[in-house]
Amino acid sequence: MPVRRTRTGPPGGHRARSGAVARAPPDGLTRLVRMPRDEHGHLTAGRISPQRPVPKDVERPEYVGRVEPHEHGLGDTYTPDEVELIRTAGRIASQAIDAVGAAIRPGVTTDELDRIGHEFVVSHGAYPSTLGYRGYPKSLCSSVNEVICHGIPDDTVLQDGDIVNIDITAYKDGMHGDTNRTFVVGTAAPAVQDLVDRTRTAMERGIKAVAPGRQVNVIGRAIESYAARFGYGVVRDYTGHGVGRAFHSGLIIPHHDAPQYDTVIEQGMVFTIEPMLTLGGIEADIWADDWTVSTRDKSWTAQFEQTLVVTERGAELLTVS
């Protein structure tokens, strides 16, 4: 789950501007418009179902039931034993996305995907970290088409040619493991399929740039230089972050070339890399729900995320099924 680099709280609460450019879906993509979408096929807020229960014996993060989490100052480096705990949580999150991905098809709602992810996480003795985090009402984020991140599952019906990012974080034994993937629903237009594939590659290039002694800005430099080859926008306001003891530790991992982020990478550090690339601009609007972030120009966007630990020579992924 990306963190907004300019705030410590959840996304701010202004509604997406009514004057946003009404762009049609990418070339080669036709659709039957269903609510909750507007007359242009752009997403609108849908109906959100009641919060799903979590068994009483599942350990809760400290922020559940609180307005603000106490998550800064917990550090970003971990012992080998602690890394294994993060790996366990991360594996559950990744496997939950596997289960959700198997159900993605035209006609399914994002709320149904949330049910699948929720039930998988809690059945493995873990807590879905987004549930109750700063008031977030669901167990995963489902970001469709022009939604950059933090989309709330609701009665939105997925259609052939859509793309949807599924972001799940699992909390177990005091540690969070955070990961996400973008899925194609049915068959996508070539430009959309390319965006999805290249966003995954951009994340992989960022991971390859990790090494002890380098500054975190090398990650964003690697990602942005690759994305620029295709003219993609690289979202700047939402970044990777430290994760483990805290859901978001305060460490910022930029996905663009940003020399001001000069934290030196150390062996044993744990953080996420999760670039968001767009087919258009990078300016964003935040919906009235205070969470959903969409591109202002309605261009489509994809994202991939892994949690990793810094090793002696590079990085090792901790969110693998």
Side-chain angles (χ1 to χ4, degrees), residues 281-312:
I282 62 173
E283 291 189 343
D285 288 313
I286 303 169
W287 293 14
D289 59 25
D290 278 357
W291 282 105
T292 307
V293 183
S294 61
T295 55
R296 186 163 297 170
D297 64 5
K298 305 303 181 185
S299 60
W300 285 22
T301 176
Q303 182 187 18
F304 284 85
E305 173 187 19
Q306 293 276 16
T307 295
L308 59 84
V309 60
V310 180
T311 64
E312 183 179 1

Side-chain angles (χ1 to χ4, degrees), residues 5 215-222 224 235-236 239 252-263:
R5 65 181 172 88
Q215 296 180 348
V216 296
N217 56 51
V218 304
I219 298 168
R221 190 171 305 125
E224 188 169 47
V235 173
R236 299 185 174 201
T239 71
I252 298 295
I253 306 297
H255 301 126
H256 66 292
D257 191 356
Q260 67 270 31
Y261 295 104
D262 58 1
T263 301

Side-chain angles (χ1 to χ4, degrees), residues 212-268:
R214 294 179 174 178
Q215 296 180 348
V216 296
N217 56 51
V218 304
I219 298 168
R221 190 171 305 125
I223 291 169
E224 188 169 47
S225 64
Y226 175 75
R229 291 167 48 185
F230 310 103
Y232 295 151
V234 181
V235 173
R236 299 185 174 201
D237 284 344
Y238 297 87
T239 71
H241 54 89
V243 66
R245 303 177 194 97
F247 194 175
H248 301 96
S249 73
L251 173 66
I252 298 295
I253 306 297
H255 301 126
H256 66 292
D257 191 356
Q260 67 270 31
Y261 295 104
D262 58 1
T263 301
V264 176
I265 298 170
E266 301 177 19
Q267 186 173 347

Side-chain angles (χ1 to χ4, degrees), residues 72-276:
H72 288 204
L74 299 179
D76 292 301
T77 58
Y78 294 83
T79 67
D81 287 345
E82 290 172 327
V83 168
E84 289 309 307
L85 294 177
I86 300 172
R87 190 192 310 276
T88 296
R91 183 180 299 114
I92 293 170
S94 181
Q95 291 174 340
I97 293 181
D98 293 342
V100 171
I104 291 175
R105 64 187 185 280
V108 72
T109 66
T110 55
D111 185 66
E112 171 65 8
L113 300 181
D114 180 76
R115 181 193 66 77
I116 294 169
H118 175 91
E119 291 180 358
F120 187 97
V121 171
V122 300
S123 70
H124 286 75
Y127 186 90
S129 301
T130 57
L131 186 63
Y133 179 75
R134 299 183 184 272
Y136 188 83
K138 288 296 179 179
S139 298
L140 58 78
C141 297
S142 56
S143 301
V144 180
N145 299 346
E146 70 267 21
V147 175
I148 296 171
C149 60
H150 302 163
I152 300 175
D154 57 19
D155 63 346
T156 296
V157 177
L158 297 181
Q159 301 173 17
D160 186 58
D162 282 345
I163 55 175
V164 57
N165 179 271
I166 301 298
D167 192 329
I168 295 181
T169 307
Y171 177 81
K172 186 174 176 63
D173 296 326
M175 297 292 178
H176 300 270
D178 187 2
T179 186
N180 75 54
R181 295 177 226 155
T182 297
F183 295 88
V184 172
V185 183
T187 302
V192 174
Q193 185 66 63
D194 285 346
L195 173 69
V196 172
D197 294 342
R198 290 166 179 168
T199 303
R200 182 190 297 108
T201 299
M203 176 194 67
E204 292 167 351
R205 292 201 173 206
I207 292 169
K208 288 180 180 178
V210 173
R214 294 179 174 178
Q215 296 180 348
V216 296
N217 56 51
V218 304
I219 298 168
R221 190 171 305 125
I223 291 169
E224 188 169 47
S225 64
Y226 175 75
R229 291 167 48 185
F230 310 103
Y232 295 151
V234 181
V235 173
R236 299 185 174 201
D237 284 344
Y238 297 87
T239 71
H241 54 89
V243 66
R245 303 177 194 97
F247 194 175
H248 301 96
S249 73
L251 173 66
I252 298 295
I253 306 297
H255 301 126
H256 66 292
D257 191 356
Q260 67 270 31
Y261 295 104
D262 58 1
T263 301
V264 176
I265 298 170
E266 301 177 19
Q267 186 173 347
M269 268 187 171
V270 175
F271 52 80
T272 71
I273 296 177
E274 45 186 307
M276 292 143 273

